Amino acid sequence: MTTARTATPSTARAINDRLALGLLLEQGPLTAARLRDLTGLSRPTVSDLLERLGRSGLVAVVGEAGEARRGPNARLYGLVADRAHVAGVDVRTVGVGIAVADLAGRTLATADLPVTPGTPPAALVDAALEALADTARRAGAGALHTVAVGAPGLVDPATGELRATAELPHWHADLVQVLRARTAAPGPFAGSLVLLENEVNLAGIAERRLGAVRDRDTFVLLWLGHGVGAAAVLDGRLRRGASGGTGEIGFLPVPGTSRLPSATDCEGGFHSTAGAAAVCALARDHGLAAGPADDAPAAEAAVRAALAAGESGGPFLDALAARVAVGAAAVCAVLDPGCVVLGGEVGRAGGTALADRVAARLADLLPLRTEVRSGTVTGSAVLGGAVLTALDAVHQDLFGAP
């Protein structure tokens, strides 16, 4: 026989505090009366929790509600946003993107650090960390509570270490290791929590919380940029796999390539048919201009040129959709997510025109009903997901576990 357990007074207080903080975070400043209405808590309970949260530095009186109402009942209580700061870092082959935000999630300062080819790895690491420290200073952050880093490659779920796949730069892992080491020494990163996540997984988090799939708990994000990748969210949980390799679809063997990929080289896999260089080559085959760099911006520009060309750009979009659908079909045949989001520079540039074509091709390839959407997160989805991940960590630490 089981006996129902009642919450202890301290547990009840923690639950009530978390509830109130969540409402202040979502809705902005509220009066005590409005908090009572939204939480269903009694007047004394709300009064106690506001006093308690005020002593902790998380909540403060920020004004009054209405000119005609004065006194304690009219006080507006708001989250003290500068109580803690977080940073998101998007580590790419061509550069590093940085954003620093406050406790409420407002972005206060950003930076972009281009990477010059041939720069020694140690110099890249030092420059990236100096840019991060400078961005935090410009944001008015005396310290960073949490730094979430997104990088390509395998993030080992057991150790949190980054392992590069294919020919990815090794300085990415060095950057995370040096940053973690500096959290134990005096300086701008002293005491910071450092989180590491695969960059496509972060983009998936951003699309679920801010973008195209806010209404779904199960979906796959297909990243189409310089390279290709996938993020799988099933039943509301991001799935990483035993070695952190869920979504490494660049290595997926597909028809139409001259060879198979290997454990150290994704050439010959899905990357060879849907990565930026392949998209640029396909565009040229269809008479469209594509930049000589064969990188993500060049591929994005080619897709936008095809859309602008109207009917004459259709054959290129059809061919591209057929390639993308092959990779999507392989993922959907295993996971059956019901929804695929096309992200990355190419996926987002293609919009509904590309998404609808991929959906039609998938319907021919699979008996599984699969909706295809274009990613809608503006700016860097990876950076947005990194900031969200860091905010989740600081909220859990300061607000308590949900």
Side-chain angles (χ1 to χ4, degrees):
M1 178 178 179
T2 58
T3 302
R5 296 180 179 179
T6 58
T8 64
S10 61
T11 301
R13 286 193 295 270
I15 293 171
N16 292 339
D17 290 355
R18 172 83 191 196
L19 178 60
L21 288 166
L23 288 168
L24 292 171
L25 181 65
E26 293 170 4
Q27 301 194 23
L30 298 168
T31 63
R34 184 59 178 153
L35 276 171
R36 291 197 299 271
D37 292 341
L38 292 171
T39 62
L41 299 173
S42 67
R43 181 188 298 268
T45 300
V46 169
S47 178
D48 287 345
L49 74 82
L50 286 173
E51 182 180 353
R52 188 165 55 249
L53 294 174
R55 290 195 305 269
S56 71
L58 286 169
V59 169
V61 177
V62 296
E64 290 190 347
E67 295 181 1
R69 300 181 60 196
R70 299 296 179 189
N73 289 335
R75 291 173 182 164
L76 279 170
Y77 295 88
L79 191 68
V80 180
D82 61 0
R83 172 68 169 75
H85 295 85
V86 302
V89 181
D90 176 11
V91 182
R92 305 179 301 276
T93 304
V94 296
V96 178
I98 299 167
V100 174
D102 62 19
L103 189 59
R106 291 190 292 262
T107 299
L108 303 176
T110 62
D112 282 296
L113 177 70
V115 169
T116 303
T119 304
L124 291 174
V125 170
D126 288 342
L129 294 182
E130 178 54 38
L132 176 58
D134 177 68
T135 308
R137 286 191 294 269
R138 289 191 286 109
L144 292 173
H145 180 285
T146 302
V147 180
V149 181
L154 303 179
V155 179
D156 191 311
T159 66
E161 299 297 320
L162 177 67
R163 180 164 65 89
T165 57
E167 298 180 357
L168 292 172
H170 289 278
W171 67 265
H172 292 179
D174 297 339
L175 172 61
V176 177
Q177 291 176 356
V178 174
L179 177 57
R180 284 174 171 163
R182 293 191 183 180
T183 64
F189 310 119
S192 298
L193 172 66
V194 179
L195 305 175
L196 176 64
E197 183 61 85
N198 173 270
E199 94 279 33
V200 179
N201 285 346
L202 292 177
I205 290 170
E207 288 292 350
R208 186 183 180 220
R209 301 268 288 274
L210 305 173
V213 276
R214 283 174 286 182
D215 60 333
R216 300 192 69 105
D217 288 333
T218 296
F219 68 94
V220 166
L221 170 77
L222 203 65
W223 183 267
L224 305 170
H226 182 75
V228 296
V233 176
L234 308 178
D235 300 323
R237 292 182 57 193
L238 178 66
R239 307 294 175 158
R240 298 177 177 84
S243 60
T246 296
E248 289 293 331
I249 60 172
F251 291 88
L252 183 72
V254 294
T257 62
S258 60
R259 61 186 177 90
L260 291 173
S262 70
T264 58
D265 187 2
C266 60
E267 289 298 328
F270 184 53
H271 170 82
S272 294
T273 65
V279 172
C280 288
L282 183 66
R284 295 185 194 104
D285 289 344
H286 284 82
L288 296 169
D294 280 354
D295 55 6
E300 177 184 1
V303 172
R304 295 192 184 281
L307 292 171
E311 187 175 340
S312 62
F316 162 73
L317 294 172
D318 291 338
L320 177 59
R323 292 186 179 192
V324 172
V326 169
V331 174
C332 292
V334 175
L335 300 179
D336 188 17
C339 181
V340 171
V341 178
L342 304 183
E345 293 86 350
V346 170
R348 194 168 61 185
T352 56
L354 180 61
D356 290 348
R357 284 172 164 84
V358 173
R361 189 72 183 114
L362 274 178
D364 292 336
L365 295 173
L366 295 175
L368 311 175
R369 290 191 301 273
T370 306
E371 183 182 5
V372 181
R373 304 177 182 179
S374 175
T376 61
V377 172
T378 58
S380 168
V382 175
L383 200 54
V387 170
L388 287 170
T389 299
L391 285 170
D392 287 344
V394 71
H395 291 164
Q396 180 167 340
D397 180 38
L398 298 182
F399 297 181

